[in-house]
Amino acid sequence: LLKFIAFGFVRFLKVRWNVLDTVVVLVSVISILLTKLELSHNIPINPSIFRVLRILRLAQVLKTTKLKVLLKTIIRTLSQIGNIGFLFMFFFFIYAALGVEFFGEIG
């Protein structure tokens, strides 16, 4: 709403991402209102399905190039993170086995 007031109607609608944001917000508000007013039984489509359109906003963010580079880097390092996790699990197993061996008969 603030962006709409700041840019004005014409400049706001020139940017397609603003139009997408407006559609996502309107569909979300309509689906919430239909659910709260219990009018969703009169519609053949479940209004909560429209809330899935919020994912379009996420798609907008993912299209930026800097985020693509970041996601590619994360995907490439996932195997290394798995290896480090297995190494930690191995150390925990060794310390657990040593703990049982040394302190298993206390009590």
PDB file of all heavy atoms in Angstrom, residues 77-99:
ATOM      1  N   THR A  77      27.950 -27.472  -2.110  1.00  0.00           N
ATOM      2  CA  THR A  77      28.588 -27.792  -0.827  1.00  0.00           C
ATOM      3  C   THR A  77      27.779 -28.769   0.018  1.00  0.00           C
ATOM      4  O   THR A  77      28.239 -29.156   1.094  1.00  0.00           O
ATOM      5  CB  THR A  77      28.822 -26.516  -0.008  1.00  0.00           C
ATOM      6  OG1 THR A  77      27.580 -25.872   0.224  1.00  0.00           O
ATOM      7  CG2 THR A  77      29.774 -25.584  -0.709  1.00  0.00           C
ATOM      8  N   LEU A  78      26.614 -29.176  -0.438  1.00  0.00           N
ATOM      9  CA  LEU A  78      25.792 -30.096   0.365  1.00  0.00           C
ATOM     10  C   LEU A  78      26.490 -31.428   0.606  1.00  0.00           C
ATOM     11  O   LEU A  78      26.394 -31.998   1.694  1.00  0.00           O
ATOM     12  CB  LEU A  78      24.438 -30.317  -0.299  1.00  0.00           C
ATOM     13  CG  LEU A  78      23.419 -29.206  -0.096  1.00  0.00           C
ATOM     14  CD1 LEU A  78      22.139 -29.533  -0.850  1.00  0.00           C
ATOM     15  CD2 LEU A  78      23.121 -28.971   1.355  1.00  0.00           C
ATOM     16  N   SER A  79      27.205 -31.944  -0.392  1.00  0.00           N
ATOM     17  CA  SER A  79      27.887 -33.228  -0.190  1.00  0.00           C
ATOM     18  C   SER A  79      28.990 -33.092   0.856  1.00  0.00           C
ATOM     19  O   SER A  79      29.205 -33.998   1.661  1.00  0.00           O
ATOM     20  CB  SER A  79      28.464 -33.735  -1.511  1.00  0.00           C
ATOM     21  OG  SER A  79      29.461 -32.841  -1.978  1.00  0.00           O
ATOM     22  N   GLN A  80      29.670 -31.955   0.856  1.00  0.00           N
ATOM     23  CA  GLN A  80      30.729 -31.745   1.847  1.00  0.00           C
ATOM     24  C   GLN A  80      30.137 -31.584   3.244  1.00  0.00           C
ATOM     25  O   GLN A  80      30.724 -32.052   4.224  1.00  0.00           O
ATOM     26  CB  GLN A  80      31.559 -30.526   1.461  1.00  0.00           C
ATOM     27  CG  GLN A  80      32.286 -30.732   0.155  1.00  0.00           C
ATOM     28  CD  GLN A  80      32.653 -29.438  -0.526  1.00  0.00           C
ATOM     29  OE1 GLN A  80      32.289 -28.372  -0.068  1.00  0.00           O
ATOM     30  NE2 GLN A  80      33.362 -29.540  -1.633  1.00  0.00           N
ATOM     31  N   ILE A  81      28.984 -30.955   3.340  1.00  0.00           N
ATOM     32  CA  ILE A  81      28.321 -30.822   4.640  1.00  0.00           C
ATOM     33  C   ILE A  81      27.908 -32.194   5.152  1.00  0.00           C
ATOM     34  O   ILE A  81      28.028 -32.490   6.342  1.00  0.00           O
ATOM     35  CB  ILE A  81      27.115 -29.875   4.528  1.00  0.00           C
ATOM     36  CG1 ILE A  81      27.602 -28.449   4.286  1.00  0.00           C
ATOM     37  CG2 ILE A  81      26.256 -29.936   5.785  1.00  0.00           C
ATOM     38  CD1 ILE A  81      26.506 -27.475   3.971  1.00  0.00           C
ATOM     39  N   GLY A  82      27.464 -33.068   4.245  1.00  0.00           N
ATOM     40  CA  GLY A  82      27.128 -34.432   4.635  1.00  0.00           C
ATOM     41  C   GLY A  82      28.328 -35.186   5.155  1.00  0.00           C
ATOM     42  O   GLY A  82      28.236 -35.922   6.147  1.00  0.00           O
ATOM     43  N   ASN A  83      29.470 -35.012   4.513  1.00  0.00           N
ATOM     44  CA  ASN A  83      30.694 -35.678   4.967  1.00  0.00           C
ATOM     45  C   ASN A  83      31.104 -35.200   6.357  1.00  0.00           C
ATOM     46  O   ASN A  83      31.503 -35.999   7.212  1.00  0.00           O
ATOM     47  CB  ASN A  83      31.838 -35.435   3.981  1.00  0.00           C
ATOM     48  CG  ASN A  83      31.630 -36.145   2.669  1.00  0.00           C
ATOM     49  OD1 ASN A  83      30.887 -37.114   2.602  1.00  0.00           O
ATOM     50  ND2 ASN A  83      32.273 -35.659   1.632  1.00  0.00           N
ATOM     51  N   ILE A  84      30.998 -33.918   6.595  1.00  0.00           N
ATOM     52  CA  ILE A  84      31.328 -33.380   7.922  1.00  0.00           C
ATOM     53  C   ILE A  84      30.351 -33.910   8.970  1.00  0.00           C
ATOM     54  O   ILE A  84      30.745 -34.252  10.083  1.00  0.00           O
ATOM     55  CB  ILE A  84      31.337 -31.842   7.885  1.00  0.00           C
ATOM     56  CG1 ILE A  84      32.517 -31.358   7.051  1.00  0.00           C
ATOM     57  CG2 ILE A  84      31.408 -31.258   9.288  1.00  0.00           C
ATOM     58  CD1 ILE A  84      32.520 -29.880   6.782  1.00  0.00           C
ATOM     59  N   GLY A  85      29.073 -34.019   8.598  1.00  0.00           N
ATOM     60  CA  GLY A  85      28.087 -34.584   9.519  1.00  0.00           C
ATOM     61  C   GLY A  85      28.393 -36.021   9.880  1.00  0.00           C
ATOM     62  O   GLY A  85      28.281 -36.422  11.046  1.00  0.00           O
ATOM     63  N   PHE A  86      28.779 -36.817   8.878  1.00  0.00           N
ATOM     64  CA  PHE A  86      29.152 -38.211   9.155  1.00  0.00           C
ATOM     65  C   PHE A  86      30.398 -38.299  10.027  1.00  0.00           C
ATOM     66  O   PHE A  86      30.513 -39.175  10.876  1.00  0.00           O
ATOM     67  CB  PHE A  86      29.365 -38.985   7.856  1.00  0.00           C
ATOM     68  CG  PHE A  86      28.090 -39.378   7.183  1.00  0.00           C
ATOM     69  CD1 PHE A  86      27.882 -39.076   5.849  1.00  0.00           C
ATOM     70  CD2 PHE A  86      27.100 -40.047   7.874  1.00  0.00           C
ATOM     71  CE1 PHE A  86      26.699 -39.434   5.231  1.00  0.00           C
ATOM     72  CE2 PHE A  86      25.919 -40.417   7.262  1.00  0.00           C
ATOM     73  CZ  PHE A  86      25.718 -40.092   5.938  1.00  0.00           C
ATOM     74  N   LEU A  87      31.333 -37.384   9.841  1.00  0.00           N
ATOM     75  CA  LEU A  87      32.530 -37.361  10.673  1.00  0.00           C
ATOM     76  C   LEU A  87      32.175 -37.070  12.126  1.00  0.00           C
ATOM     77  O   LEU A  87      32.671 -37.731  13.046  1.00  0.00           O
ATOM     78  CB  LEU A  87      33.517 -36.320  10.142  1.00  0.00           C
ATOM     79  CG  LEU A  87      34.862 -36.239  10.840  1.00  0.00           C
ATOM     80  CD1 LEU A  87      35.645 -37.531  10.623  1.00  0.00           C
ATOM     81  CD2 LEU A  87      35.648 -35.043  10.325  1.00  0.00           C
ATOM     82  N   PHE A  88      31.278 -36.095  12.344  1.00  0.00           N
ATOM     83  CA  PHE A  88      30.825 -35.807  13.712  1.00  0.00           C
ATOM     84  C   PHE A  88      30.095 -36.998  14.314  1.00  0.00           C
ATOM     85  O   PHE A  88      30.286 -37.321  15.495  1.00  0.00           O
ATOM     86  CB  PHE A  88      29.920 -34.584  13.746  1.00  0.00           C
ATOM     87  CG  PHE A  88      30.659 -33.287  13.681  1.00  0.00           C
ATOM     88  CD1 PHE A  88      30.191 -32.260  12.888  1.00  0.00           C
ATOM     89  CD2 PHE A  88      31.813 -33.076  14.412  1.00  0.00           C
ATOM     90  CE1 PHE A  88      30.857 -31.052  12.827  1.00  0.00           C
ATOM     91  CE2 PHE A  88      32.491 -31.874  14.364  1.00  0.00           C
ATOM     92  CZ  PHE A  88      32.009 -30.859  13.560  1.00  0.00           C
ATOM     93  N   MET A  89      29.254 -37.673  13.532  1.00  0.00           N
ATOM     94  CA  MET A  89      28.553 -38.851  14.040  1.00  0.00           C
ATOM     95  C   MET A  89      29.542 -39.948  14.408  1.00  0.00           C
ATOM     96  O   MET A  89      29.359 -40.641  15.409  1.00  0.00           O
ATOM     97  CB  MET A  89      27.543 -39.362  12.996  1.00  0.00           C
ATOM     98  CG  MET A  89      26.320 -38.499  12.888  1.00  0.00           C
ATOM     99  SD  MET A  89      25.084 -38.972  11.652  1.00  0.00           S
ATOM    100  CE  MET A  89      25.306 -40.670  11.394  1.00  0.00           C
ATOM    101  N   PHE A  90      30.590 -40.089  13.628  1.00  0.00           N
ATOM    102  CA  PHE A  90      31.621 -41.090  13.915  1.00  0.00           C
ATOM    103  C   PHE A  90      32.308 -40.779  15.247  1.00  0.00           C
ATOM    104  O   PHE A  90      32.497 -41.672  16.082  1.00  0.00           O
ATOM    105  CB  PHE A  90      32.637 -41.105  12.763  1.00  0.00           C
ATOM    106  CG  PHE A  90      33.749 -42.085  12.936  1.00  0.00           C
ATOM    107  CD1 PHE A  90      33.502 -43.443  12.907  1.00  0.00           C
ATOM    108  CD2 PHE A  90      35.049 -41.643  13.125  1.00  0.00           C
ATOM    109  CE1 PHE A  90      34.537 -44.348  13.056  1.00  0.00           C
ATOM    110  CE2 PHE A  90      36.079 -42.538  13.276  1.00  0.00           C
ATOM    111  CZ  PHE A  90      35.828 -43.895  13.246  1.00  0.00           C
ATOM    112  N   PHE A  91      32.674 -39.503  15.462  1.00  0.00           N
ATOM    113  CA  PHE A  91      33.299 -39.120  16.729  1.00  0.00           C
ATOM    114  C   PHE A  91      32.351 -39.330  17.911  1.00  0.00           C
ATOM    115  O   PHE A  91      32.760 -39.822  18.971  1.00  0.00           O
ATOM    116  CB  PHE A  91      33.774 -37.671  16.707  1.00  0.00           C
ATOM    117  CG  PHE A  91      35.023 -37.465  15.916  1.00  0.00           C
ATOM    118  CD1 PHE A  91      35.126 -36.402  15.041  1.00  0.00           C
ATOM    119  CD2 PHE A  91      36.100 -38.324  16.032  1.00  0.00           C
ATOM    120  CE1 PHE A  91      36.276 -36.194  14.310  1.00  0.00           C
ATOM    121  CE2 PHE A  91      37.267 -38.135  15.308  1.00  0.00           C
ATOM    122  CZ  PHE A  91      37.346 -37.060  14.436  1.00  0.00           C
ATOM    123  N   PHE A  92      31.085 -38.997  17.745  1.00  0.00           N
ATOM    124  CA  PHE A  92      30.119 -39.208  18.829  1.00  0.00           C
ATOM    125  C   PHE A  92      29.976 -40.687  19.151  1.00  0.00           C
ATOM    126  O   PHE A  92      29.841 -41.082  20.313  1.00  0.00           O
ATOM    127  CB  PHE A  92      28.754 -38.612  18.481  1.00  0.00           C
ATOM    128  CG  PHE A  92      28.710 -37.124  18.541  1.00  0.00           C
ATOM    129  CD1 PHE A  92      28.054 -36.401  17.574  1.00  0.00           C
ATOM    130  CD2 PHE A  92      29.316 -36.428  19.575  1.00  0.00           C
ATOM    131  CE1 PHE A  92      27.999 -35.023  17.623  1.00  0.00           C
ATOM    132  CE2 PHE A  92      29.269 -35.046  19.637  1.00  0.00           C
ATOM    133  CZ  PHE A  92      28.619 -34.343  18.655  1.00  0.00           C
ATOM    134  N   PHE A  93      29.991 -41.530  18.114  1.00  0.00           N
ATOM    135  CA  PHE A  93      29.899 -42.961  18.338  1.00  0.00           C
ATOM    136  C   PHE A  93      31.116 -43.474  19.111  1.00  0.00           C
ATOM    137  O   PHE A  93      30.972 -44.287  20.036  1.00  0.00           O
ATOM    138  CB  PHE A  93      29.767 -43.704  17.008  1.00  0.00           C
ATOM    139  CG  PHE A  93      29.742 -45.182  17.152  1.00  0.00           C
ATOM    140  CD1 PHE A  93      28.585 -45.825  17.568  1.00  0.00           C
ATOM    141  CD2 PHE A  93      30.874 -45.950  16.896  1.00  0.00           C
ATOM    142  CE1 PHE A  93      28.548 -47.200  17.718  1.00  0.00           C
ATOM    143  CE2 PHE A  93      30.853 -47.320  17.037  1.00  0.00           C
ATOM    144  CZ  PHE A  93      29.687 -47.934  17.455  1.00  0.00           C
ATOM    145  N   ILE A  94      32.295 -43.001  18.739  1.00  0.00           N
ATOM    146  CA  ILE A  94      33.503 -43.428  19.448  1.00  0.00           C
ATOM    147  C   ILE A  94      33.449 -43.011  20.909  1.00  0.00           C
ATOM    148  O   ILE A  94      33.733 -43.809  21.814  1.00  0.00           O
ATOM    149  CB  ILE A  94      34.766 -42.862  18.758  1.00  0.00           C
ATOM    150  CG1 ILE A  94      34.983 -43.567  17.424  1.00  0.00           C
ATOM    151  CG2 ILE A  94      35.999 -43.018  19.640  1.00  0.00           C
ATOM    152  CD1 ILE A  94      36.093 -42.976  16.589  1.00  0.00           C
ATOM    153  N   TYR A  95      33.076 -41.754  21.167  1.00  0.00           N
ATOM    154  CA  TYR A  95      32.998 -41.289  22.556  1.00  0.00           C
ATOM    155  C   TYR A  95      31.902 -42.020  23.337  1.00  0.00           C
ATOM    156  O   TYR A  95      32.060 -42.302  24.518  1.00  0.00           O
ATOM    157  CB  TYR A  95      32.772 -39.785  22.620  1.00  0.00           C
ATOM    158  CG  TYR A  95      34.024 -38.999  22.290  1.00  0.00           C
ATOM    159  CD1 TYR A  95      34.012 -38.042  21.286  1.00  0.00           C
ATOM    160  CD2 TYR A  95      35.210 -39.227  22.978  1.00  0.00           C
ATOM    161  CE1 TYR A  95      35.160 -37.323  20.978  1.00  0.00           C
ATOM    162  CE2 TYR A  95      36.354 -38.519  22.678  1.00  0.00           C
ATOM    163  CZ  TYR A  95      36.320 -37.565  21.680  1.00  0.00           C
ATOM    164  OH  TYR A  95      37.444 -36.863  21.383  1.00  0.00           O
ATOM    165  N   ALA A  96      30.802 -42.373  22.682  1.00  0.00           N
ATOM    166  CA  ALA A  96      29.750 -43.126  23.362  1.00  0.00           C
ATOM    167  C   ALA A  96      30.233 -44.532  23.703  1.00  0.00           C
ATOM    168  O   ALA A  96      29.982 -45.033  24.814  1.00  0.00           O
ATOM    169  CB  ALA A  96      28.501 -43.191  22.488  1.00  0.00           C
ATOM    170  N   ALA A  97      30.938 -45.161  22.766  1.00  0.00           N
ATOM    171  CA  ALA A  97      31.465 -46.504  23.037  1.00  0.00           C
ATOM    172  C   ALA A  97      32.492 -46.468  24.160  1.00  0.00           C
ATOM    173  O   ALA A  97      32.498 -47.353  25.036  1.00  0.00           O
ATOM    174  CB  ALA A  97      32.072 -47.088  21.760  1.00  0.00           C
ATOM    175  N   LEU A  98      33.359 -45.458  24.162  1.00  0.00           N
ATOM    176  CA  LEU A  98      34.336 -45.327  25.237  1.00  0.00           C
ATOM    177  C   LEU A  98      33.658 -45.057  26.577  1.00  0.00           C
ATOM    178  O   LEU A  98      34.063 -45.596  27.611  1.00  0.00           O
ATOM    179  CB  LEU A  98      35.333 -44.207  24.924  1.00  0.00           C
ATOM    180  CG  LEU A  98      36.371 -44.509  23.851  1.00  0.00           C
ATOM    181  CD1 LEU A  98      37.182 -43.261  23.541  1.00  0.00           C
ATOM    182  CD2 LEU A  98      37.283 -45.629  24.319  1.00  0.00           C
ATOM    183  N   GLY A  99      32.607 -44.247  26.576  1.00  0.00           N
ATOM    184  CA  GLY A  99      31.876 -43.963  27.801  1.00  0.00           C
ATOM    185  C   GLY A  99      31.229 -45.190  28.375  1.00  0.00           C
ATOM    186  O   GLY A  99      31.258 -45.431  29.595  1.00  0.00           O
TER     187      GLY A  99
END
